Amino acid sequence: MPQNEEDERFMREALAAAEKAGADGEVPVGAVIVSDGRVIARGRNRTEATGQAVAHAELEAIRKASGAVGDWRLSGCTLYVTLEPCPMCAFAAVLARLGRVVFGAADPKSGGCGSVVNVPAAPFNHRLAVRGGVLADDCAVLLQQFFRSRREEQREI
């Protein structure tokens, strides 16, 4: 399967996780980690449910993937996430030794893979490839609908 098709396939899996997060009242961000063409971990935002600022989809997926492979090093794995990782999650991807990060919508306010800062390009001991914009419109629409709904709820109150 060509890389573009594979990236879209797995981004759709991340979108499904994002939809679950949104249905739970969380900011709809989802992530999957893929190794050798199969999903080994899924994550979604859970900051509201846990009351923890660090309960991001990417970190949940990284924790689960490390458990699945039995190692903290996720060399050769790809993280697919619906929103450009924040600097914290981008650095976690570097620390986990991921091979690639593929994201959907850019985050011009807090993106850590090129929009605000570019953590993967910093001179750390590990570099990872980044591809943005995969199914960007689908990912952005999900976020826009969520925040529009939130604003409407606030107006009603």
Short mmCIF file of all heavy atoms in Angstrom, two decimals, residues 44-101:
data_model
loop_
_atom_site.label_atom_id
_atom_site.label_comp_id
_atom_site.label_asym_id
_atom_site.label_seq_id
_atom_site.Cartn_x
_atom_site.Cartn_y
_atom_site.Cartn_z
N ARG A 44 -6.79 8.71 23.32
CA ARG A 44 -7.66 9.86 23.08
C ARG A 44 -7.54 10.80 24.26
O ARG A 44 -7.13 10.39 25.35
CB ARG A 44 -9.09 9.44 22.83
CG ARG A 44 -9.73 8.73 23.99
CD ARG A 44 -11.14 8.29 23.62
NE ARG A 44 -11.88 7.91 24.78
CZ ARG A 44 -12.58 6.80 24.88
NH1 ARG A 44 -12.66 5.98 23.87
NH2 ARG A 44 -13.24 6.53 25.97
N ASN A 45 -7.88 12.04 24.05
CA ASN A 45 -7.81 13.01 25.14
C ASN A 45 -8.70 12.56 26.29
O ASN A 45 -9.83 12.11 26.07
CB ASN A 45 -8.25 14.39 24.65
CG ASN A 45 -7.11 15.19 24.06
OD1 ASN A 45 -6.00 14.71 23.92
ND2 ASN A 45 -7.40 16.42 23.70
N ARG A 46 -8.18 12.72 27.50
CA ARG A 46 -8.94 12.39 28.71
C ARG A 46 -8.65 13.41 29.82
O ARG A 46 -8.70 13.08 30.99
CB ARG A 46 -8.58 10.99 29.20
CG ARG A 46 -8.98 9.88 28.25
CD ARG A 46 -8.63 8.51 28.85
NE ARG A 46 -8.68 7.45 27.88
CZ ARG A 46 -9.76 6.72 27.61
NH1 ARG A 46 -10.89 6.96 28.23
NH2 ARG A 46 -9.69 5.75 26.73
N THR A 47 -8.36 14.64 29.44
CA THR A 47 -7.99 15.64 30.45
C THR A 47 -9.15 15.96 31.38
O THR A 47 -8.94 16.14 32.58
CB THR A 47 -7.47 16.93 29.79
OG1 THR A 47 -8.45 17.40 28.86
CG2 THR A 47 -6.15 16.70 29.08
N GLU A 48 -10.36 16.03 30.86
CA GLU A 48 -11.52 16.33 31.70
C GLU A 48 -11.83 15.16 32.63
O GLU A 48 -12.07 15.35 33.82
CB GLU A 48 -12.74 16.67 30.84
CG GLU A 48 -12.57 17.89 29.96
CD GLU A 48 -12.33 19.17 30.73
OE1 GLU A 48 -12.82 19.31 31.88
OE2 GLU A 48 -11.64 20.05 30.20
N ALA A 49 -11.81 13.95 32.09
CA ALA A 49 -12.14 12.76 32.89
C ALA A 49 -11.13 12.53 34.00
O ALA A 49 -11.50 12.10 35.10
CB ALA A 49 -12.22 11.53 32.00
N THR A 50 -9.86 12.79 33.72
CA THR A 50 -8.81 12.53 34.71
C THR A 50 -8.48 13.74 35.56
O THR A 50 -7.87 13.61 36.61
CB THR A 50 -7.52 12.05 34.03
OG1 THR A 50 -7.02 13.11 33.20
CG2 THR A 50 -7.74 10.78 33.23
N GLY A 51 -8.84 14.94 35.07
CA GLY A 51 -8.45 16.16 35.77
C GLY A 51 -6.96 16.42 35.67
O GLY A 51 -6.39 17.14 36.49
N GLN A 52 -6.31 15.85 34.65
CA GLN A 52 -4.87 15.99 34.49
C GLN A 52 -4.55 16.64 33.15
O GLN A 52 -4.99 16.18 32.10
CB GLN A 52 -4.18 14.63 34.57
CG GLN A 52 -4.35 13.98 35.91
CD GLN A 52 -3.63 12.64 35.98
OE1 GLN A 52 -2.78 12.34 35.17
NE2 GLN A 52 -3.99 11.87 36.97
N ALA A 53 -3.75 17.69 33.21
CA ALA A 53 -3.37 18.42 32.00
C ALA A 53 -2.56 17.56 31.04
O ALA A 53 -2.52 17.84 29.85
CB ALA A 53 -2.56 19.67 32.37
N VAL A 54 -1.93 16.52 31.53
CA VAL A 54 -1.06 15.69 30.69
C VAL A 54 -1.79 14.48 30.10
O VAL A 54 -1.15 13.62 29.48
CB VAL A 54 0.20 15.22 31.45
CG1 VAL A 54 1.04 16.42 31.85
CG2 VAL A 54 -0.17 14.37 32.65
N ALA A 55 -3.08 14.40 30.22
CA ALA A 55 -3.83 13.24 29.70
C ALA A 55 -4.18 13.45 28.22
O ALA A 55 -5.34 13.40 27.81
CB ALA A 55 -5.08 13.00 30.54
N HIS A 56 -3.15 13.67 27.42
CA HIS A 56 -3.32 13.89 25.99
C HIS A 56 -3.36 12.54 25.26
O HIS A 56 -2.78 11.55 25.72
CB HIS A 56 -2.18 14.73 25.43
CG HIS A 56 -2.23 16.15 25.85
ND1 HIS A 56 -1.50 17.14 25.21
CD2 HIS A 56 -2.91 16.78 26.84
CE1 HIS A 56 -1.74 18.30 25.79
NE2 HIS A 56 -2.58 18.10 26.79
N ALA A 57 -4.00 12.54 24.10
CA ALA A 57 -4.14 11.33 23.29
C ALA A 57 -2.80 10.70 22.97
O ALA A 57 -2.63 9.48 23.05
CB ALA A 57 -4.89 11.67 22.00
N GLU A 58 -1.82 11.53 22.61
CA GLU A 58 -0.51 11.01 22.22
C GLU A 58 0.17 10.29 23.37
O GLU A 58 0.77 9.23 23.18
CB GLU A 58 0.41 12.16 21.75
CG GLU A 58 -0.11 12.94 20.58
CD GLU A 58 -0.90 14.19 20.96
OE1 GLU A 58 -1.62 14.15 21.97
OE2 GLU A 58 -0.78 15.18 20.23
N LEU A 59 0.10 10.86 24.57
CA LEU A 59 0.76 10.26 25.72
C LEU A 59 0.11 8.95 26.10
O LEU A 59 0.79 7.98 26.46
CB LEU A 59 0.79 11.22 26.90
CG LEU A 59 1.56 12.52 26.67
CD1 LEU A 59 1.56 13.38 27.92
CD2 LEU A 59 2.98 12.26 26.21
N GLU A 60 -1.22 8.90 26.01
CA GLU A 60 -1.92 7.64 26.29
C GLU A 60 -1.49 6.57 25.29
O GLU A 60 -1.22 5.43 25.66
CB GLU A 60 -3.44 7.87 26.23
CG GLU A 60 -4.23 6.61 26.55
CD GLU A 60 -5.72 6.85 26.61
OE1 GLU A 60 -6.34 6.98 25.54
OE2 GLU A 60 -6.25 6.87 27.74
N ALA A 61 -1.43 6.94 24.01
CA ALA A 61 -1.03 5.98 22.98
C ALA A 61 0.42 5.52 23.19
O ALA A 61 0.71 4.33 23.04
CB ALA A 61 -1.22 6.59 21.60
N ILE A 62 1.31 6.43 23.53
CA ILE A 62 2.71 6.06 23.76
C ILE A 62 2.82 5.10 24.94
O ILE A 62 3.54 4.10 24.86
CB ILE A 62 3.59 7.32 23.97
CG1 ILE A 62 3.76 8.07 22.63
CG2 ILE A 62 4.95 6.95 24.56
CD1 ILE A 62 4.39 9.45 22.75
N ARG A 63 2.10 5.37 26.02
CA ARG A 63 2.13 4.46 27.18
C ARG A 63 1.65 3.07 26.78
O ARG A 63 2.27 2.05 27.12
CB ARG A 63 1.28 5.00 28.32
CG ARG A 63 1.96 6.02 29.20
CD ARG A 63 1.18 6.31 30.48
NE ARG A 63 -0.16 6.80 30.22
CZ ARG A 63 -0.47 8.08 30.01
NH1 ARG A 63 0.48 9.00 30.01
NH2 ARG A 63 -1.71 8.44 29.80
N LYS A 64 0.54 3.01 26.07
CA LYS A 64 -0.02 1.72 25.67
C LYS A 64 0.91 0.99 24.69
O LYS A 64 1.08 -0.23 24.77
CB LYS A 64 -1.40 1.90 25.05
CG LYS A 64 -2.46 2.29 26.06
CD LYS A 64 -3.80 2.48 25.37
CE LYS A 64 -4.90 2.82 26.35
NZ LYS A 64 -6.20 3.02 25.67
N ALA A 65 1.49 1.72 23.76
CA ALA A 65 2.40 1.09 22.79
C ALA A 65 3.63 0.52 23.48
O ALA A 65 4.09 -0.57 23.14
CB ALA A 65 2.79 2.09 21.71
N SER A 66 4.17 1.25 24.45
CA SER A 66 5.32 0.75 25.19
C SER A 66 4.98 -0.55 25.89
O SER A 66 5.78 -1.49 25.92
CB SER A 66 5.81 1.80 26.19
OG SER A 66 6.33 2.91 25.50
N GLY A 67 3.78 -0.62 26.45
CA GLY A 67 3.33 -1.86 27.08
C GLY A 67 3.17 -2.99 26.07
O GLY A 67 3.52 -4.14 26.33
N ALA A 68 2.67 -2.65 24.88
CA ALA A 68 2.44 -3.66 23.85
C ALA A 68 3.74 -4.26 23.34
O ALA A 68 3.80 -5.47 23.06
CB ALA A 68 1.64 -3.07 22.69
N VAL A 69 4.78 -3.44 23.21
CA VAL A 69 6.05 -3.96 22.69
C VAL A 69 7.01 -4.35 23.80
O VAL A 69 8.04 -4.97 23.53
CB VAL A 69 6.73 -2.97 21.71
CG1 VAL A 69 5.83 -2.66 20.54
CG2 VAL A 69 7.18 -1.70 22.41
N GLY A 70 6.69 -3.99 25.04
CA GLY A 70 7.54 -4.35 26.16
C GLY A 70 8.82 -3.55 26.25
O GLY A 70 9.82 -4.02 26.79
N ASP A 71 8.79 -2.33 25.71
CA ASP A 71 9.98 -1.48 25.72
C ASP A 71 9.54 -0.03 25.60
O ASP A 71 8.53 0.27 24.96
CB ASP A 71 10.88 -1.86 24.54
CG ASP A 71 12.31 -1.31 24.64
OD1 ASP A 71 12.59 -0.48 25.53
OD2 ASP A 71 13.14 -1.72 23.82
N TRP A 72 10.32 0.87 26.17
CA TRP A 72 9.99 2.29 26.03
C TRP A 72 10.41 2.83 24.67
O TRP A 72 9.93 3.86 24.23
CB TRP A 72 10.62 3.11 27.16
CG TRP A 72 12.13 3.08 27.19
CD1 TRP A 72 12.91 2.19 27.87
CD2 TRP A 72 13.03 3.96 26.52
NE1 TRP A 72 14.24 2.47 27.66
CE2 TRP A 72 14.36 3.56 26.83
CE3 TRP A 72 12.86 5.07 25.69
CZ2 TRP A 72 15.48 4.21 26.34
CZ3 TRP A 72 13.99 5.72 25.20
CH2 TRP A 72 15.28 5.29 25.53
N ARG A 73 11.29 2.12 24.00
CA ARG A 73 11.74 2.53 22.67
C ARG A 73 10.75 2.05 21.63
O ARG A 73 10.54 0.85 21.48
CB ARG A 73 13.13 1.95 22.37
CG ARG A 73 14.23 2.50 23.23
CD ARG A 73 15.53 1.72 22.97
NE ARG A 73 16.48 1.93 24.03
CZ ARG A 73 16.53 1.23 25.16
NH1 ARG A 73 15.67 0.27 25.39
NH2 ARG A 73 17.44 1.50 26.06
N LEU A 74 10.19 2.98 20.90
CA LEU A 74 9.20 2.65 19.87
C LEU A 74 9.79 2.88 18.48
O LEU A 74 9.11 3.36 17.57
CB LEU A 74 7.93 3.49 20.09
CG LEU A 74 7.23 3.25 21.43
CD1 LEU A 74 6.07 4.20 21.60
CD2 LEU A 74 6.79 1.80 21.58
N SER A 75 11.04 2.51 18.32
CA SER A 75 11.75 2.68 17.04
C SER A 75 10.96 2.00 15.93
O SER A 75 10.47 0.89 16.08
CB SER A 75 13.14 2.07 17.12
OG SER A 75 13.86 2.65 18.17
N GLY A 76 10.85 2.68 14.82
CA GLY A 76 10.15 2.13 13.67
C GLY A 76 8.65 2.28 13.73
O GLY A 76 7.97 1.97 12.76
N CYS A 77 8.11 2.76 14.83
CA CYS A 77 6.67 2.96 14.95
C CYS A 77 6.29 4.35 14.45
O CYS A 77 7.10 5.28 14.47
CB CYS A 77 6.21 2.82 16.40
SG CYS A 77 6.41 1.15 17.08
N THR A 78 5.04 4.49 14.04
CA THR A 78 4.51 5.78 13.61
C THR A 78 3.34 6.17 14.49
O THR A 78 2.45 5.36 14.73
CB THR A 78 4.05 5.72 12.13
OG1 THR A 78 5.17 5.38 11.31
CG2 THR A 78 3.47 7.05 11.67
N LEU A 79 3.35 7.41 14.95
CA LEU A 79 2.25 7.99 15.70
C LEU A 79 1.39 8.78 14.73
O LEU A 79 1.88 9.68 14.04
CB LEU A 79 2.79 8.93 16.79
CG LEU A 79 1.79 9.84 17.48
CD1 LEU A 79 0.80 9.04 18.32
CD2 LEU A 79 2.50 10.88 18.34
N TYR A 80 0.10 8.44 14.68
CA TYR A 80 -0.88 9.19 13.91
C TYR A 80 -1.77 9.92 14.89
O TYR A 80 -2.30 9.31 15.82
CB TYR A 80 -1.75 8.25 13.06
CG TYR A 80 -1.00 7.58 11.94
CD1 TYR A 80 -0.32 6.38 12.16
CD2 TYR A 80 -0.95 8.15 10.68
CE1 TYR A 80 0.40 5.78 11.13
CE2 TYR A 80 -0.23 7.54 9.65
CZ TYR A 80 0.44 6.36 9.89
OH TYR A 80 1.14 5.77 8.87
N VAL A 81 -1.91 11.23 14.72
CA VAL A 81 -2.71 12.02 15.64
C VAL A 81 -3.47 13.09 14.86
O VAL A 81 -2.96 13.66 13.90
CB VAL A 81 -1.83 12.62 16.78
CG1 VAL A 81 -0.74 13.53 16.23
CG2 VAL A 81 -2.67 13.33 17.82
N THR A 82 -4.70 13.34 15.27
CA THR A 82 -5.59 14.21 14.51
C THR A 82 -5.22 15.68 14.59
O THR A 82 -5.62 16.46 13.72
CB THR A 82 -7.05 14.02 14.95
OG1 THR A 82 -7.15 14.25 16.36
CG2 THR A 82 -7.52 12.61 14.63
N LEU A 83 -4.51 16.09 15.61
CA LEU A 83 -4.10 17.48 15.79
C LEU A 83 -2.59 17.51 16.00
O LEU A 83 -2.04 16.65 16.71
CB LEU A 83 -4.80 18.11 16.99
CG LEU A 83 -4.50 19.56 17.31
CD1 LEU A 83 -4.97 20.49 16.19
CD2 LEU A 83 -5.17 19.96 18.63
N GLU A 84 -1.93 18.48 15.41
CA GLU A 84 -0.49 18.62 15.59
C GLU A 84 -0.14 18.54 17.08
O GLU A 84 -0.73 19.24 17.91
CB GLU A 84 -0.04 19.98 15.04
CG GLU A 84 1.42 20.26 15.21
CD GLU A 84 1.81 21.65 14.71
OE1 GLU A 84 0.93 22.38 14.18
OE2 GLU A 84 2.99 22.01 14.85
N PRO A 85 0.80 17.68 17.44
CA PRO A 85 1.16 17.55 18.85
C PRO A 85 1.66 18.85 19.46
O PRO A 85 2.35 19.63 18.80
CB PRO A 85 2.28 16.50 18.84
CG PRO A 85 2.03 15.71 17.60
CD PRO A 85 1.51 16.71 16.60
N CYS A 86 1.29 19.06 20.72
CA CYS A 86 1.83 20.20 21.47
C CYS A 86 3.30 19.92 21.75
O CYS A 86 3.78 18.80 21.54
CB CYS A 86 1.04 20.38 22.76
SG CYS A 86 1.33 19.07 23.99
N PRO A 87 4.05 20.90 22.24
CA PRO A 87 5.47 20.65 22.53
C PRO A 87 5.71 19.49 23.50
O PRO A 87 6.65 18.71 23.31
CB PRO A 87 5.94 21.98 23.11
CG PRO A 87 5.06 23.00 22.45
CD PRO A 87 3.70 22.32 22.38
N MET A 88 4.86 19.33 24.50
CA MET A 88 5.02 18.23 25.46
C MET A 88 4.91 16.89 24.74
O MET A 88 5.75 16.00 24.93
CB MET A 88 3.94 18.32 26.56
CG MET A 88 3.88 17.13 27.49
SD MET A 88 2.54 17.25 28.71
CE MET A 88 1.08 17.07 27.67
N CYS A 89 3.90 16.74 23.89
CA CYS A 89 3.68 15.47 23.19
C CYS A 89 4.72 15.26 22.10
O CYS A 89 5.15 14.12 21.86
CB CYS A 89 2.27 15.42 22.63
SG CYS A 89 1.02 15.34 23.95
N ALA A 90 5.14 16.32 21.45
CA ALA A 90 6.19 16.20 20.44
C ALA A 90 7.48 15.73 21.09
O ALA A 90 8.18 14.86 20.54
CB ALA A 90 6.39 17.53 19.71
N PHE A 91 7.81 16.26 22.25
CA PHE A 91 9.02 15.83 22.93
C PHE A 91 8.88 14.39 23.42
O PHE A 91 9.84 13.61 23.37
CB PHE A 91 9.39 16.77 24.08
CG PHE A 91 10.78 16.56 24.58
CD1 PHE A 91 11.88 16.79 23.75
CD2 PHE A 91 11.02 16.11 25.85
CE1 PHE A 91 13.17 16.58 24.20
CE2 PHE A 91 12.31 15.90 26.32
CZ PHE A 91 13.39 16.14 25.48
N ALA A 92 7.69 14.01 23.87
CA ALA A 92 7.46 12.62 24.27
C ALA A 92 7.69 11.68 23.08
O ALA A 92 8.25 10.59 23.25
CB ALA A 92 6.06 12.44 24.83
N ALA A 93 7.29 12.10 21.88
CA ALA A 93 7.51 11.29 20.68
C ALA A 93 9.00 11.14 20.42
O ALA A 93 9.47 10.05 20.05
CB ALA A 93 6.81 11.93 19.48
N VAL A 94 9.76 12.20 20.62
CA VAL A 94 11.23 12.13 20.47
C VAL A 94 11.81 11.19 21.52
O VAL A 94 12.61 10.30 21.20
CB VAL A 94 11.86 13.54 20.57
CG1 VAL A 94 13.38 13.44 20.66
CG2 VAL A 94 11.45 14.41 19.40
N LEU A 95 11.41 11.36 22.77
CA LEU A 95 11.94 10.53 23.85
C LEU A 95 11.60 9.06 23.66
O LEU A 95 12.39 8.18 24.03
CB LEU A 95 11.41 11.01 25.21
CG LEU A 95 11.96 12.34 25.70
CD1 LEU A 95 11.25 12.76 26.98
CD2 LEU A 95 13.45 12.28 25.90
N ALA A 96 10.43 8.77 23.09
CA ALA A 96 10.01 7.39 22.86
C ALA A 96 10.70 6.78 21.64
O ALA A 96 10.50 5.61 21.33
CB ALA A 96 8.50 7.32 22.69
N ARG A 97 11.49 7.59 20.94
CA ARG A 97 12.24 7.13 19.77
C ARG A 97 11.33 6.69 18.62
O ARG A 97 11.67 5.78 17.87
CB ARG A 97 13.21 5.99 20.11
CG ARG A 97 14.16 6.25 21.26
CD ARG A 97 15.14 7.36 20.94
NE ARG A 97 16.26 7.40 21.86
CZ ARG A 97 16.30 8.13 22.98
NH1 ARG A 97 15.27 8.86 23.33
NH2 ARG A 97 17.39 8.13 23.74
N LEU A 98 10.15 7.32 18.52
CA LEU A 98 9.27 7.02 17.40
C LEU A 98 9.98 7.32 16.08
O LEU A 98 10.81 8.22 16.01
CB LEU A 98 7.98 7.84 17.49
CG LEU A 98 6.98 7.35 18.54
CD1 LEU A 98 6.00 8.45 18.91
CD2 LEU A 98 6.25 6.12 18.02
N GLY A 99 9.60 6.60 15.05
CA GLY A 99 10.19 6.84 13.75
C GLY A 99 9.56 8.01 13.02
O GLY A 99 10.24 8.79 12.36
N ARG A 100 8.23 8.13 13.16
CA ARG A 100 7.49 9.18 12.46
C ARG A 100 6.33 9.67 13.31
O ARG A 100 5.78 8.92 14.12
CB ARG A 100 6.84 8.66 11.17
CG ARG A 100 7.73 8.27 10.07
CD ARG A 100 6.96 7.65 8.90
NE ARG A 100 6.15 8.63 8.18
CZ ARG A 100 4.96 8.37 7.66
NH1 ARG A 100 4.39 7.20 7.76
NH2 ARG A 100 4.31 9.31 7.01
N VAL A 101 5.96 10.92 13.05
CA VAL A 101 4.71 11.49 13.55
C VAL A 101 3.96 11.99 12.33
O VAL A 101 4.51 12.73 11.51
CB VAL A 101 4.95 12.65 14.54
CG1 VAL A 101 3.64 13.37 14.84
CG2 VAL A 101 5.59 12.16 15.81
#
